[in-house]
Amino acid sequence: GDSETNKASLNPSSSSPFLLLVHHNHNFAWWDGLFRALSKQFLPEGFPAHPHRGFVTLTYILQGGFVHRDSLGIKQEYGTASTTLSSSKGGIYKPVQWLFTGAGMLHEEMFDTTASSRQELYQLWINVPAQYKLQPPQVQLLSTTASNNDNNAVDMPVVQKSQTHYDEQNGYAVTTKSTVRVLAGSYDESRQEYSSRAPIVSDMTILHVTLTSRRNRRIEREQQQIKENDGIDYDEEVGWSYHIPPHYDTLVLYVRKGSCTITTTTKGYNNDSALSKTTKEVPIHSAVFIEPSSRSELGAGRRDTMIVRPQQQGDEVDFLLLAAQPLYERYVYNGQEQVSTTAEPVSMQGSMVMNYPHEIQAAYDDYQLGKMGRPWDHELDDEKWLKHVQRFPCQYQYKNVKRKQKEAEAMLNDHYNNYG
């Protein structure tokens, strides 16, 4: 088989709260049967039990699937081509896992090759504010529907749009069609059903976007009807647009397929003329960053719009958009919690993410003491694995199921209301 991994180690000072982005491709081809049998003795097909503390992992399966087991005693199967995707479930897909590692836990992720030899996924590491780092760990899957007909019934909405730009002066029309999967946050703040139910604990938006732009000659031939068509946009440039919230100083875009041009325009709220405008060309398997300083120089009262369009008409562009408010230190003044303009410190080592080096050392000490659970052999069947984690459980999980449900629901509802 073949394997390819694109890894973007993000700089917390310019990409907070996003820490790491990995785009992984692997093919377990049928003709590799003998080689796989030998290699599995040394290289497991996946990621055996390992510890984490202090951040969130987001795993987004584009093709294939994972089988997850952890030291909380939870087993999950998720992806786009696994036994979880039974047609009897009405076309429900569960392609996304949010793993809030909290105070610490062990988990394994092994490839599910029962229905697909091709495996493609994103894994994103996301930092969390200091006050949440030692909360009990949690794991949650996000689902969507195959038909996309009922966005209200899913955790991860899929939004399809078609927009036509018409240049009256030149008689030129271009139609852009896009599909947006909302992994976190909101795509359109005016539409509640376009908001993800992802368990985020800080303000962010994560979108998976595919788009194409084609010249629309039919509309060019029907110019008089165009002027009465509400779907025609005379103001925006050709392409897919995203209005960046004013408090979002982190913006990262990774291109999975195609090559695109990104134009970022800043305008005043009461002024339609552009205060600044930048354009970048981004090739496939590349990431582009918009640094906070390049946007904050213009101060408050700005409205920023990013427009993405294929470099060649007719080409498909597929990208992941990460946008967020950075994590800032908090302090109490006159009895009220305030947010400073100083970024929270970040200390990363191995599979732990905390604020200071001594906290990293404490995390590894706790792991060695078995407080996160004890590693198990990935070849154990489910019965033996469950007995193992019952014997060596994670000590940071909720002790009372009712308390767990109540506190988890309260936390998620609170953050959903704040960050929608």
Side-chain angles (χ1 to χ4, degrees):
D2 57 277
S3 180
E4 180 182 3
T5 300
N6 296 303
K7 179 179 178 180
S9 294
L10 308 178
N11 185 345
S13 64
S14 59
S15 63
S16 173
F18 308 113
L19 302 169
L20 176 70
L21 173 63
V22 175
H23 178 206
H24 181 83
N25 277 279
H26 192 87
N27 186 24
F28 295 98
W30 64 268
W31 58 80
D32 285 338
L34 179 59
F35 173 77
R36 286 177 61 189
L38 295 174
S39 67
K40 285 172 66 175
Q41 304 301 317
F42 307 98
L43 298 173
E45 294 181 345
F47 308 92
H50 57 281
H52 287 303
R53 171 181 280 184
F55 66 106
V56 168
T57 67
L58 185 160
T59 305
Y60 178 27
I61 306 293
L62 300 166
Q63 187 172 354
F66 262 151
V67 178
H68 162 100
R69 299 190 301 189
D70 61 40
S71 58
L72 305 178
I74 297 172
K75 178 182 178 180
Q76 295 177 333
E77 298 178 7
Y78 64 102
T80 62
S82 70
T83 55
T84 62
L85 305 181
S86 170
S87 59
S88 64
K89 297 183 179 180
I92 297 295
Y93 289 76
K94 295 182 179 180
V96 178
Q97 184 198 67
W98 283 82
L99 179 65
F100 177 77
T101 65
M105 64 182 297
L106 276 67
H107 77 128
E108 69 173 16
E109 304 289 333
M110 307 304 292
F111 287 112
D112 180 357
T113 61
T114 57
S116 175
S117 62
R118 170 65 66 177
Q119 305 287 330
E120 183 181 5
L121 62 95
Y122 285 116
Q123 185 164 92
L124 181 64
W125 287 17
I126 306 171
N127 201 8
V128 298
Q131 66 265 36
Y132 296 106
K133 286 187 176 292
L134 297 182
Q135 292 285 326
Q138 300 178 53
V139 59
Q140 179 174 330
L141 298 181
L142 298 189
S143 65
T144 184
T145 60
S147 63
N148 301 328
N149 289 329
D150 187 3
N151 285 325
N152 289 307
V154 300
D155 304 306
M156 190 182 77
V158 179
V159 185
Q160 295 179 329
K161 287 188 175 183
S162 179
Q163 185 179 35
T164 299
H165 169 86
Y166 178 64
D167 185 332
E168 285 188 287
Q169 182 176 356
N170 298 313
Y172 189 84
V174 174
T175 296
T176 299
K177 294 183 178 181
S178 63
T179 299
V180 181
R181 294 169 175 82
V182 187
L183 279 68
S186 300
Y187 170 51
D188 184 344
E189 293 181 356
S190 65
R191 301 289 298 273
Q192 184 66 27
E193 64 266 33
Y194 292 172
S195 298
S196 169
R197 293 294 299 187
I200 58 178
V201 294
S202 63
D203 196 352
M204 71 182 71
T205 296
I206 303 175
L207 307 176
H208 175 205
V209 183
T210 58
L211 67 95
T212 57
S213 291
R214 299 180 184 274
R215 186 168 179 178
N216 195 322
R217 298 186 184 277
R218 179 185 63 80
I219 287 183
E220 293 172 3
R221 294 193 299 266
E222 302 173 357
Q223 296 184 28
Q224 295 304 316
Q225 288 88 341
I226 289 173
K227 296 178 181 179
E228 301 174 1
N229 189 333
D230 292 337
I232 306 304
D233 190 342
Y234 293 94
D235 299 319
E236 300 287 358
E237 295 187 44
V238 177
W240 177 83
S241 60
Y242 174 68
H243 298 288
I244 307 169
H247 57 290
Y248 276 18
D249 284 329
T250 293
L251 189 68
V252 182
L253 187 147
Y254 172 80
V255 179
R256 173 179 171 239
K257 292 182 180 179
S259 299
C260 63
T261 300
I262 301 174
T263 300
T264 306
T265 303
T266 301
K267 298 180 180 180
Y269 277 112
N270 299 317
N271 186 358
D272 287 334
S273 61
L275 301 176
S276 72
K277 186 175 182 178
T278 59
T279 300
K280 297 182 179 180
E281 294 184 354
V282 187
I284 188 172
H285 294 166
S286 297
V288 62
F289 302 79
I290 295 180
E291 298 292 342
S293 60
S294 65
R295 298 179 57 228
S296 60
E297 290 172 357
L298 300 169
R302 67 180 190 266
R303 52 189 177 97
D304 299 339
T305 301
M306 181 185 70
I307 298 174
V308 182
R309 57 184 179 274
Q311 290 188 5
Q312 298 292 330
Q313 283 192 33
D315 289 351
E316 181 184 69
V317 175
D318 184 313
F319 61 88
L320 192 69
L321 176 66
L322 314 177
Q325 182 180 32
L327 300 184
Y328 295 115
E329 289 187 329
R330 297 173 181 268
Y331 63 96
V332 177
Y333 180 74
N334 287 337
Q336 299 292 324
E337 185 179 66
Q338 307 290 330
V339 180
S340 73
T341 57
T342 302
E344 281 193 1
V346 179
S347 182
M348 296 177 60
Q349 182 178 328
S351 59
M352 312 294 188
V353 180
M354 298 299 289
N355 296 105
Y356 300 100
H358 72 272
E359 295 173 330
I360 295 291
Q361 184 59 53
Y364 280 105
D365 290 343
D366 290 343
Y367 166 60
Q368 294 294 334
L369 291 171
K371 293 184 178 181
M372 301 178 188
R374 295 286 185 186
W376 57 91
D377 190 325
H378 66 279
E379 294 186 344
L380 289 182
D381 61 30
D382 288 345
E383 182 179 357
K384 293 181 179 178
W385 156 74
L386 193 56
K387 287 182 179 179
H388 174 91
V389 296
Q390 289 172 345
R391 182 181 178 187
F392 305 106
C394 170
Q395 298 181 21
Y396 301 113
Q397 60 186 310
Y398 290 92
K399 299 300 183 182
N400 183 286
V401 175
K402 292 183 178 180
R403 174 174 166 239
K404 171 183 177 178
Q405 293 175 339
K406 184 177 180 180
E407 292 185 3
E409 289 174 2
M411 186 181 80
L412 296 183
N413 288 334
D414 176 61
H415 292 294
Y416 178 71
N417 292 333
N418 289 333
Y419 308 121

